Amino acid sequence: MRFHQSTTELFIPDGLEPEKALRRTTHMAISAHQDDIEIMAVEPILSCYQQSDLWFSAIVMSDGRGSPRDDLYKDYSDEEMRVVRIKEQKKAAIVGEYANLVLLDYPSKAIKDAKNRQPVEDLQLLFNATRPRFVYTHNLADKHDTHVATALRVIEALRHLPAAERPDKLFGCEVWRSLDWLLDSDKVAFDLSKHENLQSALLGIFDSQICGGKRYDLATMGRRKANATYFESHGVDISTGLSYAMDLTPLILAPEKEIIPFVQEHIQRFAHDVADRLTRVG
Ligand SMILES: [Zn+2]
């Protein structure tokens, strides 16, 4: 396989030959940075864990050079930071028993440049080699530019696939900005009640980010618990952990569908819900 970046790396934790390792993929997550996948898409990791017929592949788009640093890492150069973050992502791939980890190694600005076709072409190559049934990426209402750009590149690559080869589902998941605001009827809720130990282990690996001054590990487990408790105001908690996603599948089933109005419709339904309640009890 020939990727555009000479530094792109394919890491296969169990050492299977690349063609077979990629082809076994059933679930795939594509993120902007190292650690985003473990924050936003642990559901497919857990679904595939210790299964012989379900396999999870992770694609990380960026090189991780520009991340904030502190503590142990405060004097690290951008290149040293890149190396640490790659090492951390590989550790997560081993702990989570991923089928494949692909580190595309693009600078953030290349991902954010809509005219640069290379990231999309690399994703097309990967979709052709893997044909996942379920794809997870960032949601389109995230507040980090590189995250939103990643989601747009994923949608574009999937739209180029022949209809029969497109995945069954595309989910936009939460990192920077929760999806609690979505109407319950618009939410995809993933039950993360099980394997909390494994969830914590996967989040805790990314020491360079946590040491950067942000407890992503605690915040992410906390968000999962908060989502579960605040999902239903009546009745007892059914699950002890939930993460939310926006269902982006309509955007790949109808490739001509306009993206901005699709997202705005979700926001409009939220706006109407708030106004309706105020009118009802006002
Ligand atoms: Zn990120």
Side-chain angles (χ1 to χ4, degrees), residues 107-231:
S108 279
K109 67 173 186 324
I111 302 163
K112 288 185 279 190
D113 177 4
K115 289 198 276 307
N116 186 340
R117 302 287 311 153
Q118 294 188 350
V120 176
E121 286 166 7
D122 282 352
L123 288 173
Q124 284 175 268
L125 207 59
L126 284 164
F127 285 130
N128 281 327
T130 53
R131 310 249 181 91
R133 287 171 53 206
F134 304 101
V135 177
Y136 304 71
T137 188
H138 297 280
N139 84 81
L140 295 167
D142 194 284
K143 62 179 174 181
H144 192 305
D145 286 2
T146 319
H147 290 186
V148 175
T150 295
L152 292 174
R153 306 302 164 252
V154 169
I155 291 165
E156 196 180 342
L158 288 172
R159 284 177 161 185
H160 281 100
L161 288 180
E165 290 173 22
R166 287 181 204 139
D168 294 346
K169 286 284 177 190
L170 174 65
F171 300 112
C173 308
E174 46 187 3
V175 183
W176 285 105
R177 193 173 274 153
S178 302
L179 287 173
D180 175 71
W181 61 270
L182 282 174
L183 291 196
D184 287 351
S185 51
D186 278 335
K187 280 188 183 100
V188 180
F190 296 120
D191 186 354
L192 305 178
S193 303
K194 292 183 180 163
H195 300 291
E196 283 189 5
N197 54 320
L198 199 51
Q199 297 181 44
S200 296
L202 286 165
L203 292 162
I205 286 166
F206 296 90
D207 189 60
S208 71
Q209 301 309 293
I210 293 165
C211 262
K214 285 192 168 287
R215 292 304 304 267
Y216 293 113
D217 52 340
L218 301 180
T220 303
M221 291 306 286
R223 172 150 71 191
R224 290 170 191 168
K225 288 205 182 303
N227 281 346
T229 294
Y230 289 108
F231 187 51

Side-chain angles (χ1 to χ4, degrees), residues 73-84:
Y73 311 91
K74 74 176 179 319
D75 298 323
Y76 279 38
S77 67
D78 278 359
E79 180 53 27
E80 286 169 325
M81 221 41 209
R82 170 182 169 271
V83 170
V84 164

Side-chain angles (χ1 to χ4, degrees), residues 31-36 39 62 85 138 144 146-147 175-176:
S31 72
H33 308 104
Q34 295 86 353
D35 83 352
D36 287 332
I39 292 171
S62 83
R85 298 196 69 182
H138 297 280
H144 192 305
T146 319
H147 290 186
V175 183
W176 285 105

